[in-house]
Amino acid sequence: GFRYYVVGSCEFNSSKLNDIEFTLSYYYNKLEYIRFSSSVGKYVGYTEHGIKNAERWNNGPEVIARRAEKERYCFHNVGIFTESALTKS
């Protein structure tokens, strides 16, 4: 069989928005073929299929929606994660 999955992550070492990086990686059969990174600000393809999708997504509404994810998803949850970790340590 074939396996397709998407992994989204927020990497941070402080609760400041500038220090947070949002990444969204797309995998097919354990091979990452395309990634959006908030520090790059666009999709980057790693395979022939990923490069074609990156070109298309970077010229469409997909990239605009992803650019807002750092603030919408990460910044909102970093405060929750940080507070939870600090109160339990």
Side-chain angles (χ1 to χ4, degrees):
F2 299 100
R3 181 168 290 183
Y4 165 80
Y5 55 101
V6 179
V7 177
S9 67
C10 302
E11 296 182 24
F12 60 96
N13 56 13
S14 78
S15 60
K16 296 177 186 163
L17 186 58
N18 294 344
D19 295 336
I20 300 170
E21 181 183 15
F22 170 74
T23 58
L24 189 65
S25 298
Y26 295 78
Y27 293 86
Y28 184 73
N29 280 352
K30 300 181 184 179
L31 177 67
E32 182 179 23
Y33 67 93
I34 191 169
R35 175 190 297 178
F36 175 84
S37 170
S38 64
S39 57
V40 176
K42 64 179 185 174
Y43 287 94
V44 177
Y46 300 110
T47 65
E48 183 179 345
H49 178 68
I51 292 168
K52 288 179 183 178
N53 277 325
E55 288 175 11
R56 189 168 47 93
W57 292 353
N58 286 331
N59 292 316
E62 294 86 357
V63 75
I64 295 167
R66 291 295 171 239
R67 288 179 182 154
E69 289 296 293
K70 179 173 134 176
E71 189 169 338
R72 185 196 68 80
Y73 178 71
C74 293
F75 193 61
H76 170 75
N77 288 311
V78 163
I80 295 168
F81 296 146
T82 304
E83 182 65 30
S84 176
L86 292 175
T87 58
K88 292 184 171 116
S89 60

